[in-house]
Amino acid sequence: MAKDKKLVEAITSMDVDFAQWYTDVVKKAELMDYSSVKGCMVIKPAGYAIWENIQGELDRRFKETGVENVYMPMFIPESLLQKEKDHVDGFAPEVAWVTHGGLEPLQERLCVRPTSETLFCDFYSREIQSYRDLPKLYNQWCSVVRWEKTTRPFLRSREFLWQEGHTAHATAKEAEERTEQMLNLYANFCEEVLAMPVIRGQKTDKEKFAGAEATYTIEALMHDGKALQSGTSHNFGDGFAKAFEIQYSDKENKLSYVHQTSWGLSTRLIGGIIMVHGDDNGLVLPPKIAPVQVIIVPVQQQKEGVLDKALELKGMLSNFRVKVDDSDKSPGWKFSESEMRGIPIRVEIGPRDIEQNQAVLVRRDTHEKIMVSLDELDQQVRDLLDDIQKNMYEKAKNHRDEHTSEATDLATFTKTVEEKPGFVKAMWCGCQECEDQIKESTGATSRCIPFEQKTLSDTCICCGKPAVKMVYWGRAY
Amino acid sequence: MAKDKKLVEAITSMDVDFAQWYTDVVKKAELMDYSSVKGCMVIKPAGYAIWENIQGELDRRFKETGVENVYMPMFIPESLLQKEKDHVDGFAPEVAWVTHGGLEPLQERLCVRPTSETLFCDFYSREIQSYRDLPKLYNQWCSVVRWEKTTRPFLRSREFLWQEGHTAHATAKEAEERTEQMLNLYANFCEEVLAMPVIRGQKTDKEKFAGAEATYTIEALMHDGKALQSGTSHNFGDGFAKAFEIQYSDKENKLSYVHQTSWGLSTRLIGGIIMVHGDDNGLVLPPKIAPVQVIIVPVQQQKEGVLDKALELKGMLSNFRVKVDDSDKSPGWKFSESEMRGIPIRVEIGPRDIEQNQAVLVRRDTHEKIMVSLDELDQQVRDLLDDIQKNMYEKAKNHRDEHTSEATDLATFTKTVEEKPGFVKAMWCGCQECEDQIKESTGATSRCIPFEQKTLSDTCICCGKPAVKMVYWGRAY
């Protein structure tokens, strides 16, 4: 395959330096750029279009479950942030503070929202009076700010885009059901749309959200064997309701506190897509989320009829998101660029193909070339996109499974973390001391207590006391 | 018509106190709520759904003209804001300043974006090198902050949602064309989708955007005769390009500055929809933007078959955005509520209607009741929605025309502004002194120099010197 050297040589091989490979890909695939604001990024069209597709699909799934969108202020008065003690302890050290409005100092500092539980609670305390007002199933799409010390494009940024859902319910049971429902919604979305297999489970107390009774998580495994927390769903019980006085009167006119949840998923997931599917030629996008699913590259486009034919093919593929690359770059450069950008299918069409009423389809995931008759183009592309989507999921799942180990003693555990990066399943006694010690000695954190449990041994790998749960451990982003 | 007293009595009549009527409607129609953050609001589901429809329709129209979406940081370093002198003079007095990140003071203050010209310019200065990189046609959907002293829901808020487009072009001509193209896109959108007639024209130098060579505007007239600037499009020439060193090399390798535009439209427009179309029963939404186009209200819903029939009608109307109000409120309350929320068509269906295979359609705009056979329901609703959309535009246009006057001397002008609120067309010499004096003595500002000119007289109504342009004047929000 003709390939322009310059573009490919610009990427570090992922086996040589995965972190550098990642940085190269986000830049060369034109997903983002650094900005003049330290720790914040510019999301460029190719990156933002992925986010728009994530938004569109998730938003549709949210609304099917009765969720409505709202918009809350981006500022939180300091006194409001402080109302729930665990919450403020968790977030205060990493927020940005607005101290002046125009030329005047503010009477009370405002933080730029790191998350909006406090704003929603404040709103709900006025909005909810009766059982008729429940449930409240609100979500917002917005940006949030966390003043991180070290940042990486998409994965950890001082400002990022996300959605945050905040619900209020009459009963603890309903809140628990919603928490699980949204986690499953996230998991299904990741697996079906992003072709990214995830482990569903609960966070340990140490790792749960500041102010939550329980945090559920989906954990994905990246190509380098590190885990990525990809979405979380929190059950707050009535903790926030008590701090913010959110009560409703039931049918018997009795006052009760509401039970709340929140759940969020962010542009971090774009980093996940890159690190699960990418290769040494660049990005590989699952067809369902790819802003461009098919790129048509005319070969010898200056010859009469070639560009016209390319445009005709575009018309034949109107069921898909298609672009024709009619720029004045060389075909080799265009091939290389379409790979860098992760476009699932490339259609190559030149004078000889036109004569024979055919075109060459090239799969981004396997590099396989398929000669197809133009009469069957639409159907072939449809089948191929389906197959690519399935294949990418299978490949990622195989990789995940191959990089998931079990350990029943600390020596094996430590060796595995070091020598075979990935998830390590191991039994745990349930105490934070062991969790801390494992992290300190191996760098692996508890990723989750999976819903699907299995007893690997009877004792905690760390302290040897009776085990209560099997936990997924791993180094993580 | 049975109507629940409580809901209607909650609204002040618009003729008694228009400002209070507006505040009552935004609250009772549940479009927004005040928040604990002074000057910022909570946009509730009914309000946000209007914004989502505005976004969807505008975004589609933008993309048809080649525009791509991106996301820039929400912060601007102080030194960056200061790069273009007119721009910083215009915005610095009304921005919010972040001075601390986490527990540490920042080395340089960051303002929360009041608009993002400086960020886009900074980005373009790195992104644009060659003529091949042009044009850049970028847009972002985001929130911006301006530290206003007095605020009103949707119309003037310390934080508001908007889109801001920022383009860079090789030539002055292209930039001018894009500036006009986007203004026309806004105007067509307002007229076709929001049923809101607008005057297209240019702002005077005094009223133009800080840093622009020319600002174009669309101006709508509210029910109370005050104007609302509803969208603006700016041609920056190469002013920002020179301040930020944004140059490209052309085909002959010669360096030139780019020419830029920006254009924005905000949630302010929701205030415009309310004030153009609303009445003493509440909101009146144009069908094309209404989140719910048809509400089905079952009458005697406890009777067997009524609720089932209501749901059956919903199924028959699957081409539209339909809701069934099956709450346990009284029909009278539901009627009243559907009017307050501005839903274009209400379908009433009770046992007697079911017997006769019919339903009652009630138009929100005229209150007309129409008996229709269920066999024709879909077609009747379609026709009625079209008719409501047209009628609302015509009504608004007639109102606008009836409240547009001409004046050829200052005494008449002043009397008209005072006694017949609306637009006043009058000739102007082109100097800011006259503009200032007119504003000071009448409260009317120059709304725009309309593209469609007409010579009303030869002299400026203020100073009597030769006139150069006809201007629309008026008091404004």
Side-chain angles (χ1 to χ4, degrees), chain A residues 34 36-37 43-44 52 63 69-71 73-75 93 95 97-100 102 122 126-127 143 159 328, chain B residues 34 36-37 43-44 52 63 69-71 73-75 93 95 97-100 102 122 126-127 132 143 159:
Chain A
Y34 297 98
S36 289
V37 189
I43 306 181
K44 292 173 68 168
E52 283 181 305
K63 284 175 177 161
N69 285 335
V70 299
Y71 188 77
M74 73 152 82
F75 299 120
V95 297
W97 290 104
V98 174
T99 57
H100 288 70
D122 178 54
R126 292 188 303 274
E127 190 77 359
S143 76
E159 180 187 9
D328 59 4
Chain B
Y34 297 98
S36 290
V37 189
I43 306 182
K44 292 172 68 169
E52 283 181 304
K63 284 176 177 161
N69 286 334
V70 299
Y71 188 77
M74 72 152 82
F75 299 120
V95 298
W97 290 104
V98 174
T99 57
H100 287 71
D122 178 54
R126 293 188 301 273
E127 189 78 358
R132 283 200 180 86
S143 76
E159 180 187 9

Short mmCIF file of all heavy atoms in Angstrom, two decimals, chain A residues 34 36-37 43-44 52 63 69-71 73-75 93 95 97-100 102 122 126-127 143 159 328, chain B residues 34 36-37 43-44 52 63 69-71 73-75 93 95 97-100 102 122 126-127 132 143 159:
data_model
loop_
_atom_site.label_atom_id
_atom_site.label_comp_id
_atom_site.label_asym_id
_atom_site.label_seq_id
_atom_site.Cartn_x
_atom_site.Cartn_y
_atom_site.Cartn_z
N TYR A 34 -3.39 21.99 22.04
CA TYR A 34 -3.16 22.65 23.32
C TYR A 34 -3.59 24.10 23.20
O TYR A 34 -3.64 24.66 22.10
CB TYR A 34 -1.68 22.51 23.71
CG TYR A 34 -1.30 21.06 23.91
CD1 TYR A 34 -0.66 20.34 22.90
CD2 TYR A 34 -1.62 20.41 25.10
CE1 TYR A 34 -0.35 18.99 23.07
CE2 TYR A 34 -1.31 19.07 25.28
CZ TYR A 34 -0.67 18.37 24.27
OH TYR A 34 -0.37 17.04 24.44
N SER A 36 -3.68 28.26 25.10
CA SER A 36 -2.87 29.17 25.92
C SER A 36 -3.29 29.12 27.38
O SER A 36 -2.71 29.81 28.22
CB SER A 36 -3.03 30.61 25.43
OG SER A 36 -2.39 30.76 24.19
N VAL A 37 -4.31 28.35 27.66
CA VAL A 37 -4.77 28.23 29.05
C VAL A 37 -4.22 26.91 29.59
O VAL A 37 -4.63 25.84 29.16
CB VAL A 37 -6.31 28.23 29.12
CG1 VAL A 37 -6.77 28.34 30.56
CG2 VAL A 37 -6.89 29.35 28.26
N ILE A 43 -10.84 21.46 21.67
CA ILE A 43 -11.33 20.24 21.00
C ILE A 43 -11.63 20.62 19.56
O ILE A 43 -12.49 21.46 19.29
CB ILE A 43 -12.57 19.68 21.70
CG1 ILE A 43 -12.28 19.45 23.20
CG2 ILE A 43 -12.99 18.35 21.05
CD1 ILE A 43 -13.44 18.85 23.98
N LYS A 44 -10.89 20.03 18.64
CA LYS A 44 -11.00 20.38 17.22
C LYS A 44 -12.17 19.61 16.56
O LYS A 44 -12.73 18.70 17.16
CB LYS A 44 -9.66 20.10 16.53
CG LYS A 44 -8.58 21.08 17.01
CD LYS A 44 -7.20 20.75 16.50
CE LYS A 44 -7.09 20.96 15.02
NZ LYS A 44 -5.66 20.91 14.57
N GLU A 52 -20.14 14.86 19.73
CA GLU A 52 -21.52 15.09 19.29
C GLU A 52 -22.25 13.76 19.06
O GLU A 52 -23.43 13.64 19.39
CB GLU A 52 -21.54 15.92 18.00
CG GLU A 52 -21.28 17.40 18.23
CD GLU A 52 -21.33 18.22 16.94
OE1 GLU A 52 -20.59 17.88 15.99
OE2 GLU A 52 -22.10 19.18 16.88
N LYS A 63 -33.38 9.97 27.38
CA LYS A 63 -34.77 10.44 27.26
C LYS A 63 -35.76 9.27 27.22
O LYS A 63 -36.87 9.38 27.71
CB LYS A 63 -34.91 11.35 26.04
CG LYS A 63 -34.34 12.75 26.31
CD LYS A 63 -34.34 13.67 25.11
CE LYS A 63 -33.80 15.05 25.53
NZ LYS A 63 -33.34 15.86 24.39
N ASN A 69 -33.66 17.33 30.11
CA ASN A 69 -32.47 18.17 30.23
C ASN A 69 -32.78 19.54 30.83
O ASN A 69 -33.84 20.11 30.57
CB ASN A 69 -31.82 18.36 28.86
CG ASN A 69 -31.08 17.13 28.40
OD1 ASN A 69 -30.65 16.31 29.23
ND2 ASN A 69 -30.94 16.96 27.10
N VAL A 70 -31.85 20.03 31.61
CA VAL A 70 -31.96 21.36 32.22
C VAL A 70 -30.59 22.02 32.12
O VAL A 70 -29.63 21.42 31.63
CB VAL A 70 -32.36 21.27 33.71
CG1 VAL A 70 -33.72 20.60 33.87
CG2 VAL A 70 -31.31 20.52 34.52
N TYR A 71 -30.51 23.27 32.59
CA TYR A 71 -29.19 23.90 32.70
C TYR A 71 -29.10 24.69 34.00
O TYR A 71 -29.91 25.56 34.28
CB TYR A 71 -28.91 24.82 31.51
CG TYR A 71 -27.47 25.31 31.54
CD1 TYR A 71 -26.44 24.47 31.16
CD2 TYR A 71 -27.16 26.57 32.05
CE1 TYR A 71 -25.12 24.88 31.25
CE2 TYR A 71 -25.84 26.98 32.13
CZ TYR A 71 -24.83 26.14 31.74
OH TYR A 71 -23.52 26.54 31.84
N PRO A 73 -26.61 27.01 36.80
CA PRO A 73 -25.49 27.96 36.75
C PRO A 73 -24.14 27.25 36.81
O PRO A 73 -24.03 26.18 37.39
CB PRO A 73 -25.68 28.82 38.00
CG PRO A 73 -27.13 28.71 38.32
CD PRO A 73 -27.53 27.32 37.91
N MET A 74 -23.11 27.88 36.22
CA MET A 74 -21.77 27.28 36.27
C MET A 74 -21.04 27.62 37.57
O MET A 74 -19.96 27.10 37.82
CB MET A 74 -20.94 27.70 35.06
CG MET A 74 -20.46 29.14 35.10
SD MET A 74 -18.91 29.34 34.17
CE MET A 74 -19.50 29.46 32.51
N PHE A 75 -21.62 28.54 38.37
CA PHE A 75 -20.95 28.95 39.60
C PHE A 75 -21.65 28.37 40.83
O PHE A 75 -22.87 28.21 40.83
CB PHE A 75 -20.95 30.47 39.73
CG PHE A 75 -20.22 31.16 38.62
CD1 PHE A 75 -20.88 32.07 37.80
CD2 PHE A 75 -18.88 30.92 38.39
CE1 PHE A 75 -20.22 32.71 36.76
CE2 PHE A 75 -18.20 31.56 37.36
CZ PHE A 75 -18.88 32.46 36.54
N PRO A 93 -10.36 21.22 47.42
CA PRO A 93 -8.94 21.42 47.09
C PRO A 93 -8.68 21.54 45.59
O PRO A 93 -7.58 21.92 45.20
CB PRO A 93 -8.27 20.14 47.63
CG PRO A 93 -9.25 19.55 48.58
CD PRO A 93 -10.59 19.92 48.08
N VAL A 95 -10.88 23.14 43.10
CA VAL A 95 -11.77 24.00 42.32
C VAL A 95 -11.11 25.33 41.99
O VAL A 95 -10.18 25.77 42.66
CB VAL A 95 -13.12 24.25 43.04
CG1 VAL A 95 -13.89 22.96 43.22
CG2 VAL A 95 -12.93 24.99 44.34
N TRP A 97 -11.57 29.39 41.75
CA TRP A 97 -12.38 30.37 42.49
C TRP A 97 -12.49 31.69 41.75
O TRP A 97 -11.50 32.30 41.37
CB TRP A 97 -11.77 30.63 43.86
CG TRP A 97 -11.89 29.46 44.81
CD1 TRP A 97 -10.90 28.59 45.16
CD2 TRP A 97 -13.07 29.04 45.49
NE1 TRP A 97 -11.38 27.65 46.03
CE2 TRP A 97 -12.72 27.89 46.26
CE3 TRP A 97 -14.39 29.50 45.56
CZ2 TRP A 97 -13.63 27.21 47.06
CZ3 TRP A 97 -15.30 28.82 46.35
CH2 TRP A 97 -14.92 27.69 47.10
N VAL A 98 -13.73 32.14 41.58
CA VAL A 98 -13.98 33.48 41.06
C VAL A 98 -14.11 34.41 42.25
O VAL A 98 -14.91 34.16 43.17
CB VAL A 98 -15.28 33.52 40.24
CG1 VAL A 98 -15.61 34.95 39.81
CG2 VAL A 98 -15.17 32.62 39.02
N THR A 99 -13.30 35.47 42.25
CA THR A 99 -13.30 36.39 43.39
C THR A 99 -13.75 37.80 43.01
O THR A 99 -14.04 38.60 43.88
CB THR A 99 -11.89 36.49 44.01
OG1 THR A 99 -10.99 36.91 42.97
CG2 THR A 99 -11.44 35.14 44.55
N HIS A 100 -13.74 38.09 41.70
CA HIS A 100 -14.12 39.43 41.25
C HIS A 100 -15.13 39.35 40.11
O HIS A 100 -14.98 38.53 39.20
CB HIS A 100 -12.90 40.22 40.76
CG HIS A 100 -11.99 40.65 41.85
ND1 HIS A 100 -11.22 39.76 42.57
CD2 HIS A 100 -11.74 41.88 42.38
CE1 HIS A 100 -10.52 40.43 43.49
NE2 HIS A 100 -10.82 41.72 43.40
N GLY A 102 -16.55 41.89 37.27
CA GLY A 102 -16.26 43.21 36.73
C GLY A 102 -15.10 43.81 37.52
O GLY A 102 -14.09 43.15 37.76
N ASP A 122 -29.88 22.36 45.95
CA ASP A 122 -30.43 23.66 46.30
C ASP A 122 -31.73 23.91 45.52
O ASP A 122 -32.75 24.35 46.07
CB ASP A 122 -29.38 24.73 45.96
CG ASP A 122 -29.87 26.13 46.25
OD1 ASP A 122 -30.30 26.36 47.40
OD2 ASP A 122 -29.83 26.97 45.35
N ARG A 126 -36.24 23.72 46.76
CA ARG A 126 -37.36 24.64 46.49
C ARG A 126 -38.40 23.99 45.59
O ARG A 126 -39.60 24.29 45.67
CB ARG A 126 -36.83 25.91 45.79
CG ARG A 126 -35.96 26.79 46.66
CD ARG A 126 -35.63 28.10 45.97
NE ARG A 126 -34.98 27.92 44.67
CZ ARG A 126 -33.68 27.76 44.50
NH1 ARG A 126 -32.87 27.78 45.55
NH2 ARG A 126 -33.18 27.61 43.31
N GLU A 127 -37.97 23.09 44.73
CA GLU A 127 -38.81 22.57 43.66
C GLU A 127 -39.70 21.41 44.11
O GLU A 127 -40.75 21.17 43.54
CB GLU A 127 -37.88 22.11 42.52
CG GLU A 127 -38.53 21.74 41.23
CD GLU A 127 -38.95 22.94 40.40
OE1 GLU A 127 -38.74 24.08 40.84
OE2 GLU A 127 -39.49 22.73 39.30
N SER A 143 -19.76 21.93 30.79
CA SER A 143 -18.34 21.70 31.08
C SER A 143 -18.13 21.91 32.56
O SER A 143 -18.85 22.68 33.21
CB SER A 143 -17.45 22.64 30.26
OG SER A 143 -17.47 23.93 30.81
N GLU A 159 -10.48 21.56 32.38
CA GLU A 159 -11.88 21.71 32.01
C GLU A 159 -12.23 20.52 31.12
O GLU A 159 -11.44 20.15 30.25
CB GLU A 159 -12.10 23.01 31.23
CG GLU A 159 -13.56 23.19 30.82
CD GLU A 159 -13.79 24.39 29.90
OE1 GLU A 159 -12.81 25.00 29.43
OE2 GLU A 159 -14.96 24.70 29.65
N ASP A 328 -5.95 18.39 -3.17
CA ASP A 328 -4.88 18.19 -4.16
C ASP A 328 -3.69 17.42 -3.58
O ASP A 328 -2.59 17.48 -4.10
CB ASP A 328 -4.46 19.54 -4.77
CG ASP A 328 -3.96 20.53 -3.71
OD1 ASP A 328 -3.87 20.14 -2.52
OD2 ASP A 328 -3.66 21.68 -4.07
N TYR B 34 -35.18 31.05 39.59
CA TYR B 34 -34.04 31.79 40.10
C TYR B 34 -33.13 30.81 40.84
O TYR B 34 -33.58 29.76 41.29
CB TYR B 34 -34.51 32.93 41.00
CG TYR B 34 -35.34 33.93 40.23
CD1 TYR B 34 -36.73 33.89 40.26
CD2 TYR B 34 -34.73 34.88 39.42
CE1 TYR B 34 -37.49 34.79 39.51
CE2 TYR B 34 -35.48 35.78 38.67
CZ TYR B 34 -36.86 35.73 38.72
OH TYR B 34 -37.61 36.60 37.98
N SER B 36 -29.49 30.24 43.53
CA SER B 36 -28.79 30.85 44.67
C SER B 36 -27.60 31.68 44.21
O SER B 36 -26.91 32.28 45.01
CB SER B 36 -28.27 29.77 45.61
OG SER B 36 -29.35 29.17 46.27
N VAL B 37 -27.35 31.68 42.91
CA VAL B 37 -26.23 32.45 42.37
C VAL B 37 -26.83 33.71 41.77
O VAL B 37 -27.53 33.66 40.77
CB VAL B 37 -25.49 31.65 41.29
CG1 VAL B 37 -24.22 32.36 40.90
CG2 VAL B 37 -25.23 30.24 41.76
N ILE B 43 -32.34 26.93 34.02
CA ILE B 43 -33.24 26.74 32.89
C ILE B 43 -33.91 25.38 33.07
O ILE B 43 -33.25 24.35 33.09
CB ILE B 43 -32.50 26.81 31.54
CG1 ILE B 43 -31.71 28.13 31.45
CG2 ILE B 43 -33.50 26.72 30.37
CD1 ILE B 43 -30.98 28.33 30.14
N LYS B 44 -35.23 25.41 33.26
CA LYS B 44 -35.97 24.18 33.56
C LYS B 44 -36.31 23.42 32.27
O LYS B 44 -36.12 23.94 31.17
CB LYS B 44 -37.21 24.54 34.38
CG LYS B 44 -36.83 25.03 35.78
CD LYS B 44 -38.01 25.57 36.57
CE LYS B 44 -38.98 24.47 36.93
NZ LYS B 44 -39.99 24.98 37.91
N GLU B 52 -33.06 23.43 23.02
CA GLU B 52 -32.60 22.25 22.26
C GLU B 52 -33.15 22.30 20.83
O GLU B 52 -32.46 21.94 19.88
CB GLU B 52 -33.05 20.96 22.95
CG GLU B 52 -32.20 20.62 24.17
CD GLU B 52 -32.64 19.31 24.83
OE1 GLU B 52 -33.81 19.19 25.19
OE2 GLU B 52 -31.79 18.42 24.98
N LYS B 63 -24.30 23.77 9.55
CA LYS B 63 -23.50 22.72 8.93
C LYS B 63 -23.72 22.68 7.42
O LYS B 63 -22.80 22.35 6.66
CB LYS B 63 -23.80 21.37 9.59
CG LYS B 63 -23.11 21.26 10.96
CD LYS B 63 -23.44 19.99 11.72
CE LYS B 63 -22.63 19.98 13.04
NZ LYS B 63 -23.19 19.07 14.05
N ASN B 69 -18.24 22.28 14.32
CA ASN B 69 -18.24 22.63 15.74
C ASN B 69 -16.93 22.27 16.42
O ASN B 69 -16.31 21.25 16.10
CB ASN B 69 -19.39 21.93 16.47
CG ASN B 69 -20.73 22.57 16.14
OD1 ASN B 69 -20.79 23.75 15.80
ND2 ASN B 69 -21.80 21.80 16.24
N VAL B 70 -16.54 23.10 17.36
CA VAL B 70 -15.33 22.88 18.16
C VAL B 70 -15.65 23.28 19.60
O VAL B 70 -16.75 23.74 19.89
CB VAL B 70 -14.15 23.76 17.66
CG1 VAL B 70 -13.81 23.42 16.22
CG2 VAL B 70 -14.47 25.24 17.81
N TYR B 71 -14.68 23.09 20.49
CA TYR B 71 -14.86 23.61 21.85
C TYR B 71 -13.57 24.23 22.35
O TYR B 71 -12.52 23.58 22.37
CB TYR B 71 -15.33 22.50 22.81
CG TYR B 71 -15.69 23.09 24.16
CD1 TYR B 71 -16.90 23.75 24.33
CD2 TYR B 71 -14.79 23.06 25.22
CE1 TYR B 71 -17.22 24.35 25.54
CE2 TYR B 71 -15.11 23.65 26.43
CZ TYR B 71 -16.32 24.29 26.58
OH TYR B 71 -16.63 24.89 27.78
N PRO B 73 -11.48 26.52 25.48
CA PRO B 73 -11.51 26.66 26.95
C PRO B 73 -12.48 27.76 27.39
O PRO B 73 -12.71 28.71 26.65
CB PRO B 73 -10.07 27.05 27.29
CG PRO B 73 -9.25 26.56 26.17
CD PRO B 73 -10.11 26.66 24.95
N MET B 74 -13.01 27.63 28.60
CA MET B 74 -13.91 28.67 29.11
C MET B 74 -13.15 29.83 29.75
O MET B 74 -13.76 30.83 30.10
CB MET B 74 -14.91 28.09 30.11
CG MET B 74 -14.32 27.71 31.45
SD MET B 74 -15.57 27.82 32.77
CE MET B 74 -16.40 26.28 32.60
N PHE B 75 -11.83 29.67 29.91
CA PHE B 75 -11.04 30.72 30.54
C PHE B 75 -10.18 31.48 29.53
O PHE B 75 -9.69 30.88 28.56
CB PHE B 75 -10.12 30.14 31.61
CG PHE B 75 -10.85 29.43 32.72
CD1 PHE B 75 -10.62 28.08 32.97
CD2 PHE B 75 -11.76 30.11 33.50
CE1 PHE B 75 -11.30 27.43 33.99
CE2 PHE B 75 -12.44 29.46 34.53
CZ PHE B 75 -12.21 28.12 34.77
N PRO B 93 -14.65 45.50 31.74
CA PRO B 93 -15.42 45.95 32.92
C PRO B 93 -16.51 44.98 33.34
O PRO B 93 -17.09 45.14 34.41
CB PRO B 93 -16.06 47.27 32.45
CG PRO B 93 -15.28 47.69 31.24
CD PRO B 93 -14.78 46.42 30.61
N VAL B 95 -16.38 41.30 33.17
CA VAL B 95 -16.05 39.88 33.22
C VAL B 95 -15.84 39.40 34.65
O VAL B 95 -15.57 40.19 35.55
CB VAL B 95 -14.78 39.53 32.39
CG1 VAL B 95 -15.01 39.83 30.92
CG2 VAL B 95 -13.56 40.23 32.92
N TRP B 97 -13.58 37.18 37.22
CA TRP B 97 -12.16 36.82 37.28
C TRP B 97 -11.90 35.64 38.20
O TRP B 97 -12.30 35.67 39.36
CB TRP B 97 -11.34 38.01 37.77
CG TRP B 97 -11.26 39.12 36.78
CD1 TRP B 97 -11.95 40.29 36.83
CD2 TRP B 97 -10.47 39.15 35.58
NE1 TRP B 97 -11.64 41.07 35.72
CE2 TRP B 97 -10.73 40.40 34.95
CE3 TRP B 97 -9.57 38.28 34.97
CZ2 TRP B 97 -10.12 40.77 33.74
CZ3 TRP B 97 -8.96 38.65 33.78
CH2 TRP B 97 -9.24 39.88 33.18
N VAL B 98 -11.20 34.65 37.68
CA VAL B 98 -10.72 33.54 38.49
C VAL B 98 -9.32 33.90 38.95
O VAL B 98 -8.46 34.21 38.13
CB VAL B 98 -10.68 32.23 37.69
CG1 VAL B 98 -10.04 31.12 38.51
CG2 VAL B 98 -12.08 31.83 37.26
N THR B 99 -9.11 33.87 40.27
CA THR B 99 -7.81 34.26 40.81
C THR B 99 -7.10 33.12 41.54
O THR B 99 -5.92 33.21 41.81
CB THR B 99 -7.96 35.43 41.80
OG1 THR B 99 -8.87 35.00 42.83
CG2 THR B 99 -8.54 36.66 41.11
N HIS B 100 -7.86 32.06 41.86
CA HIS B 100 -7.27 30.95 42.59
C HIS B 100 -7.66 29.62 41.94
O HIS B 100 -8.81 29.44 41.57
CB HIS B 100 -7.76 30.92 44.05
CG HIS B 100 -7.16 32.00 44.89
ND1 HIS B 100 -7.50 33.34 44.73
CD2 HIS B 100 -6.24 31.95 45.88
CE1 HIS B 100 -6.81 34.06 45.61
NE2 HIS B 100 -6.03 33.24 46.32
N GLY B 102 -7.60 25.71 43.03
CA GLY B 102 -7.39 24.89 44.22
C GLY B 102 -7.03 25.81 45.37
O GLY B 102 -7.68 26.84 45.59
N ASP B 122 -6.10 33.28 19.03
CA ASP B 122 -4.89 32.64 19.52
C ASP B 122 -4.72 31.27 18.87
O ASP B 122 -3.63 30.91 18.40
CB ASP B 122 -5.02 32.51 21.04
CG ASP B 122 -3.84 31.82 21.67
OD1 ASP B 122 -2.71 32.29 21.44
OD2 ASP B 122 -4.03 30.81 22.38
N ARG B 126 -1.89 29.76 15.46
CA ARG B 126 -1.06 28.56 15.35
C ARG B 126 -1.56 27.63 14.23
O ARG B 126 -0.79 26.91 13.62
CB ARG B 126 -1.09 27.77 16.67
CG ARG B 126 -0.43 28.48 17.83
CD ARG B 126 -0.32 27.57 19.06
NE ARG B 126 -1.63 27.11 19.50
CZ ARG B 126 -2.42 27.76 20.34
NH1 ARG B 126 -2.04 28.92 20.84
NH2 ARG B 126 -3.59 27.28 20.68
N GLU B 127 -2.85 27.67 14.00
CA GLU B 127 -3.50 26.68 13.14
C GLU B 127 -3.42 27.04 11.65
O GLU B 127 -3.45 26.15 10.79
CB GLU B 127 -4.98 26.59 13.56
CG GLU B 127 -5.78 25.49 12.96
CD GLU B 127 -5.53 24.14 13.60
OE1 GLU B 127 -4.67 24.05 14.50
OE2 GLU B 127 -6.17 23.17 13.18
N ARG B 132 -4.21 26.87 2.02
CA ARG B 132 -4.89 25.57 2.10
C ARG B 132 -5.67 25.42 3.41
O ARG B 132 -6.59 24.62 3.50
CB ARG B 132 -3.87 24.42 2.03
CG ARG B 132 -3.34 24.13 0.66
CD ARG B 132 -2.76 22.71 0.63
NE ARG B 132 -2.23 22.39 -0.68
CZ ARG B 132 -1.00 22.70 -1.09
NH1 ARG B 132 -0.18 23.32 -0.27
NH2 ARG B 132 -0.61 22.37 -2.32
N SER B 143 -21.62 28.30 27.25
CA SER B 143 -22.18 29.37 28.06
C SER B 143 -21.12 30.45 28.20
O SER B 143 -19.92 30.16 28.17
CB SER B 143 -22.63 28.85 29.42
OG SER B 143 -21.52 28.65 30.27
N GLU B 159 -24.96 34.67 33.33
CA GLU B 159 -24.48 33.56 32.49
C GLU B 159 -25.59 33.27 31.49
O GLU B 159 -26.77 33.26 31.86
CB GLU B 159 -24.22 32.31 33.33
CG GLU B 159 -23.71 31.15 32.49
CD GLU B 159 -23.60 29.83 33.25
OE1 GLU B 159 -24.06 29.76 34.40
OE2 GLU B 159 -23.07 28.86 32.68
#
